[in-house]
Amino acid sequence: MSYKRVIRFIVFIALCVQAKQMVAQNANTRPNIIYIMSDDHAYQAISAYGYGLNHTPNIDKLAEQGVLFNRAFVTNSICGPSRAVMLTGKHSHVNGFKDNHSTFDGSQQTVAKLLHNNGYTTAVIGKWHLISDPQGFDYWNVVPGQGEYYNPDFIENGVKKRVPGYITNITTDFAINWLDSRDKSKPFFLMYQQKAPHRNWMPEEKYYHLFDSTQFPVPANYFDDYQTRTKAAHEQAMEVARDMHDAYDLKLAFDLPKDQQKGLAGNWQGIYNRLTPEEKKKWEAAYGPSIEAFKKANLSGKELAIWKYQRYMRDYLRCVQSVDDNVGRLMEYLKANGLDKNTIIIYTSDQGFYLGEHGWFDKRFMYEESFRTPLIVKWPGVTNKKIASNSMVQNLDFAETILDMAGLPIPADMQGKSFVPVLKGKKKGDVHEALYYHFYENQEHKVAKHIGVRTDRYKLIYFYENNEWEMYDLKKDKSEMKNVYNDPSYSKVKSMMQKKLMELKKQYNDPVPVVTPQI
């Protein structure tokens, strides 16, 4: 080999070593990001928010070293659309996924693709719920549809298989396995998404008896008569007392006769049949005594309504307890493997959830319990002490914030804003002066389509198919019990809010037809 070739070879080797060192340094300095999304996890059911219903010590630890957002909201309170908004940073009418009957166009720009194309190794594990296969991920292992609590199916990079065990634990097992086997020369972005505590609230075996002796306080508006509301509130089908299914929701039956296995009863039988014979014995031993006690009590009226509420709350919060346990497992793994100092943790839900407020379960409406979502961000070196932020943010902002955290540019066509300045303590006010909302799906639970706007103090909702309006003064009426839309003393506020609604509709280019309001 000639002298010049030797020199070129040495230079080439030196450059390769330097490049390798730069990649390694890049992986050590650029933050890892874990986005934790549970399904239907109400902020009321995280003890850091102070509602006193349960204790979530591991999620609370995130808040102790991070920012807890008191006013985080969604653009469309339903599972699939919320996930699509998070991935794209765009409203439902722009990303194309308006309701749970849509199919996500995976070819479009997403935060996962942007991170992947800029040096991150990426994975999504657990609940997906966007119909099409995930794109932009080096690894994906997701449940089909809603997923099952017991012995669930998972689709791993296109291959479907049934996995024995409890879904919340299994999802974490897969997440930890991927963290162990990932390309460690790169920073990582992991979307770790739990099914729980989604309906029908099937708890882990070790928590079958948790809260057995607890009587949860019944919300003051549990027997809401919707007196000042439009017909949308009257026509919904999401009341705990009226609309919960005896077997599917309330666990008041085991095997059902074949002629009854239709609708939700059929769904229940399918869920129950996933249990092994040994698992069925344990389930029946746990729930059998309460079923017998319920039959003997022969409850009716308000007593029956309250019994159903207690049953619902116990199972829901049992599921939450397993979610919290597994957040703890994941955090322990990060610490044991030296990843805790450079890994951002975002904990949220796909939306809020009613825990008996207005007599309801589920979500969909723009009222606070479903519109507002929990959000906790722990960013080592940035958020090192507990801070509660009242800044108004939205899931529309998540993609932009994650890109900003990673030091990447935010595409101009994204519609949200980064709230990194809030996390760094550089911004005290609202990220958004006003928030825009649009709910499209009026099938299950019969919630009418509506758009709306929320400011610091007021909320305006327009049920556009019914041409009906509601407005609330959130300072005077935190529970949204009094619709003041037709109150003459609020005429100026009404004009102001209608103007803001039309401005945001135009800003986000939402084509929904709206009857011109009388301003």
Side-chain angles (χ1 to χ4, degrees):
M1 184 180 292
S2 70
Y3 176 76
K4 288 184 178 180
R5 286 183 177 180
V6 170
I7 295 298
R8 284 199 294 266
F9 180 72
I10 293 172
V11 171
F12 173 74
I13 294 298
L15 289 172
C16 288
V17 170
Q18 184 182 25
K20 186 175 182 179
Q21 289 174 340
M22 288 177 66
V23 169
Q25 183 181 18
N26 198 36
N28 290 329
T29 56
R30 297 177 73 184
N32 305 308
I33 303 168
I34 298 181
Y35 176 85
I36 307 175
M37 177 186 275
S38 297
D39 196 308
D40 292 344
H41 192 176
Y43 57 85
Q44 308 95 293
I46 294 176
S47 47
Y49 279 100
Y51 286 80
L53 293 173
N54 60 335
H55 184 43
T56 51
N58 295 297
I59 297 173
D60 290 0
K61 284 180 184 177
L62 301 179
E64 289 168 6
Q65 296 179 309
V67 177
L68 180 146
F69 286 84
N70 288 316
R71 299 202 299 178
F73 300 89
V74 296
T75 64
N76 183 359
S77 183
I78 190 165
C79 302
S82 176
R83 295 161 196 274
V85 168
M86 174 269 157
L87 280 166
T88 62
K90 299 173 183 177
H91 277 277
S92 300
H93 65 278
V94 178
N95 68 51
F97 201 100
K98 296 180 180 180
D99 55 40
N100 279 342
H101 305 281
S102 305
T103 298
F104 185 67
D105 176 7
S107 68
Q108 66 185 296
Q109 171 186 276
T110 66
V111 64
K113 288 182 181 179
L114 292 168
L115 289 169
H116 184 271
N117 294 342
N118 284 276
Y120 273 75
T121 184
T122 57
V124 58
I125 297 170
K127 185 83 174 270
W128 176 242
H129 207 233
L130 292 174
I131 313 300
S132 59
D133 289 345
Q135 294 185 33
F137 299 95
D138 294 294
Y139 175 82
W140 53 277
N141 197 350
V142 300
V143 297
Q146 296 286 3
E148 301 289 350
Y149 276 105
Y150 304 131
N151 306 317
D153 295 327
F154 273 78
I155 306 173
E156 184 176 24
N157 289 341
V159 179
K160 186 176 179 180
K161 57 186 176 181
R162 183 162 296 190
V163 185
Y166 186 66
I167 192 169
T168 310
N169 300 330
I170 295 168
T171 300
T172 310
D173 292 341
F174 283 134
I176 290 173
N177 290 342
W178 178 77
L179 288 169
D180 259 342
S181 62
R182 76 188 193 283
D183 181 351
K184 295 182 175 63
S185 69
K186 299 178 179 180
F188 64 81
F189 173 59
L190 169 62
M191 295 180 67
Y192 161 69
Q193 305 191 143
Q194 293 287 9
K195 170 191 170 64
H198 191 279
R199 190 183 185 191
N200 66 334
W201 318 296
M202 305 285 279
E204 187 179 357
E205 180 188 322
K206 70 178 181 180
Y207 288 131
Y208 281 170
H209 295 289
L210 183 66
F211 303 118
D212 271 359
S213 60
T214 303
Q215 290 294 314
F216 293 100
V218 178
N221 59 0
Y222 182 62
F223 294 103
D224 191 350
D225 61 6
Y226 322 119
Q227 185 175 358
T228 70
R229 253 67 56 82
T230 61
K231 66 180 181 181
H234 295 265
E235 292 178 347
Q236 47 67 36
M238 44 192 276
E239 292 181 24
V240 174
R242 182 190 65 196
D243 299 312
M244 280 193 169
H245 190 273
D246 284 355
Y248 183 75
D249 294 312
L250 299 170
K251 328 297 191 303
L252 287 172
F254 301 136
D255 285 303
L256 296 171
K258 287 189 176 181
D259 62 349
Q260 294 182 20
Q261 294 178 23
K262 298 177 183 178
L264 287 179
N267 291 347
W268 163 255
Q269 192 64 51
I271 290 168
Y272 194 63
N273 287 343
R274 296 185 80 89
L275 296 174
T276 66
E278 184 61 29
E279 288 169 337
K280 283 186 178 182
K281 287 180 182 178
K282 293 178 180 178
W283 176 270
E284 292 172 10
Y287 281 83
S290 62
I291 293 174
E292 291 305 312
F294 171 77
K295 290 177 180 177
K296 289 180 182 179
N298 195 28
L299 302 174
S300 62
K302 286 192 173 183
E303 287 185 336
L304 176 58
I306 291 172
W307 184 93
K308 289 183 178 181
Y309 169 75
Q310 298 296 338
R311 183 71 142 193
Y312 162 47
M313 289 296 291
R314 288 176 185 133
D315 281 338
Y316 178 93
L317 294 174
R318 288 164 179 159
C319 293
V320 169
Q321 210 63 42
S322 293
V323 170
D324 186 74
D325 287 349
N326 281 278
V327 168
R329 282 183 61 203
L330 188 58
M331 295 307 106
E332 287 173 5
Y333 172 87
L334 296 178
K335 186 174 183 179
N337 288 272
L339 294 169
D340 56 320
K341 297 295 189 290
N342 193 35
T343 300
I344 297 169
I345 307 295
I346 301 168
Y347 187 91
T348 190
S349 174
D350 47 358
Q351 66 269 313
F353 210 69
Y354 296 102
L355 300 184
E357 298 89 358
H358 303 289
W360 295 339
F361 65 100
D362 208 71
K363 54 264 186 179
R364 302 167 200 267
F365 278 111
M366 197 190 172
Y367 305 128
E368 291 289 280
E369 289 84 7
S370 61
F371 180 39
R372 179 181 161 193
T373 192
L375 177 62
I376 300 170
V377 181
K378 176 190 173 186
W379 187 350
V382 176
T383 63
N384 295 319
K385 61 179 181 179
K386 184 176 182 179
I387 298 173
S389 173
N390 288 321
S391 181
M392 284 204 304
V393 299
Q394 208 164 17
N395 63 342
L396 187 70
D397 308 319
F398 289 0
E400 294 85 341
T401 300
I402 290 169
L403 292 172
D404 199 0
M405 288 170 162
L408 297 176
I410 299 169
D413 62 347
M414 285 188 172
Q415 295 181 303
K417 300 177 182 179
S418 169
F419 52 80
V420 163
V422 176
L423 298 171
K424 291 183 174 180
K426 295 180 180 179
K427 181 176 179 60
K428 301 298 182 184
D430 290 324
V431 172
H432 297 276
E433 178 190 351
L435 302 175
Y436 185 72
Y437 182 84
H438 192 163
F439 176 78
Y440 298 82
E441 184 175 326
N442 64 350
Q443 298 179 42
E444 187 179 4
H445 296 299
K446 301 178 183 178
V447 174
K449 298 177 181 180
H450 54 289
I451 59 174
V453 60
R454 187 202 196 278
T455 63
D456 175 66
R457 177 168 177 173
Y458 301 103
K459 182 184 296 180
L460 180 70
I461 306 173
Y462 178 52
F463 297 95
Y464 53 87
E465 290 186 323
N466 302 335
N467 193 25
E468 293 183 322
W469 297 81
E470 294 180 4
M471 190 171 75
Y472 298 94
D473 184 338
L474 300 173
K475 183 177 180 179
K476 294 182 179 180
D477 181 22
K478 292 181 180 180
S479 298
E480 296 167 295
M481 296 293 289
K482 185 180 180 182
N483 175 16
V484 296
Y485 182 79
N486 292 314
D487 186 333
S489 66
Y490 282 89
S491 59
K492 290 184 179 179
V493 174
K494 179 170 71 175
S495 296
M496 178 267 293
M497 291 296 288
Q498 288 176 329
K499 183 179 179 181
K500 283 187 180 294
L501 179 66
M502 298 307 150
E503 287 173 350
L504 288 178
K505 180 182 177 298
K506 182 178 180 180
Q507 175 185 327
Y508 294 124
N509 196 27
D510 188 351
V512 62
V514 177
V515 174
T516 303
Q518 298 299 315
I519 299 177

